Amino acid sequence: MRQRPRRREPADAADGEAARGRARRPRRPGRPRHRPGAARLGFGATISAARARWLACDGNVTRIVIGPDGQPLDLGRTHRVVPARLRRAVEARDGGCVFAGCDAPTHWCDVHHVLHWADGGQTSLDNAGLLCERHHTKVHHGFTIERDTAGRWHTYRPDGTEILVLPRIAEQPACSHAG
C-alpha cells in the first residue's frame, strides 16, 4: 500500500521557506538573508529586503515601516536617482569601475552608494563610487569597497581580506634598439 506524502508543518509559520515545506539550505557567510515579504512594490509584488536594497541603488524608494496592526510606524526619506551633475563628478574622479582589477569604462558603470542610503548614507560625491554591473552585484552580495583618505579605492572580500592587484605591465614590450 502506497503512503501519501506528508506535509511538514513548520514550527514557526513566519519562516517562509519552511512554510512552503522546503528544507532550508545553510546560509553562506557574507550573503544577505532573503526573507519573503520584506518589501512590496507599487504594483503589489513582494520582494526580499536584499532585493529591495539592490533596487534602491538606482531607483525612487520611500521606506515605510508598518507595525503588526497594519499602521505606518515610520515614514522614511525618499531616495532619488543620482543627479546628472553628481554622476559627471563621480565619472571624472573615478574614471571607470573602482573594483580592484576592473577597467570597465564609465559608460558601463552605475553610481553606487558606499554607505547605503537605507543605512543613513547620503547621495553625495564622498559617498559614491562607480561600479560596473558585475561588480555592483558582487558588492550587494558581500564584497565591499572603501576609499581611503588619499583617495585610493580598496576592495574587500566577504571574509574581510583585501583584494590586491599587481600593477599592469606596459602594453608595448620594451624594445632594444641595439643592433
Side-chain angles (χ1 to χ4, degrees):
M1 177 178 207
R2 186 173 178 202
Q3 289 185 335
R4 290 175 45 190
R6 292 185 185 177
R7 182 181 171 133
R8 293 186 307 142
E9 291 299 322
D12 179 8
D15 184 353
E17 291 297 311
R20 288 193 285 277
R22 291 190 226 154
R24 292 184 67 161
R25 289 189 321 220
R27 189 173 77 88
R28 287 191 277 171
R31 301 261 338 230
R33 293 182 187 270
H34 295 280
R35 294 188 179 156
R40 190 171 41 189
L41 299 177
F43 57 88
T46 304
I47 59 175
S48 69
R51 178 62 62 177
R53 283 190 297 275
W54 186 77
L55 289 173
C57 252
D58 49 342
N60 293 332
V61 176
T62 302
R63 180 179 51 87
I64 302 173
V65 178
I66 305 219
D69 57 351
Q71 295 297 318
L73 299 176
D74 181 29
L75 299 173
R77 59 195 167 110
T78 298
H79 168 73
R80 304 217 184 274
V81 192
V82 174
R85 67 185 185 283
L86 178 57
R87 180 174 175 91
R88 285 192 299 271
V90 175
E91 286 178 351
R93 182 194 67 199
D94 295 343
C97 182
V98 299
F99 201 93
C102 186
D103 58 359
T106 59
H107 60 274
W108 288 2
C109 297
D110 297 321
V111 177
H112 171 73
H113 288 84
V114 177
L115 175 60
H116 198 278
W117 73 273
D119 298 326
Q122 299 296 316
T123 303
S124 66
L125 184 60
D126 292 335
N127 191 41
L130 284 180
L131 290 170
C132 66
E133 182 179 0
R134 176 180 182 212
H135 293 125
H136 199 176
T137 302
K138 284 185 171 283
V139 166
H140 281 282
H141 287 92
F143 286 78
T144 56
I145 57 169
E146 290 179 3
R147 212 165 154 245
D148 65 18
T149 55
R152 288 184 302 271
W153 286 98
H154 300 273
T155 306
Y156 298 92
R157 294 179 186 90
D159 66 2
T161 58
E162 184 173 5
I163 298 173
L164 300 173
V165 180
L166 295 173
R168 291 184 182 264
I169 298 173
E171 302 237 350
Q172 294 290 332
C175 295
S176 171
H177 293 290

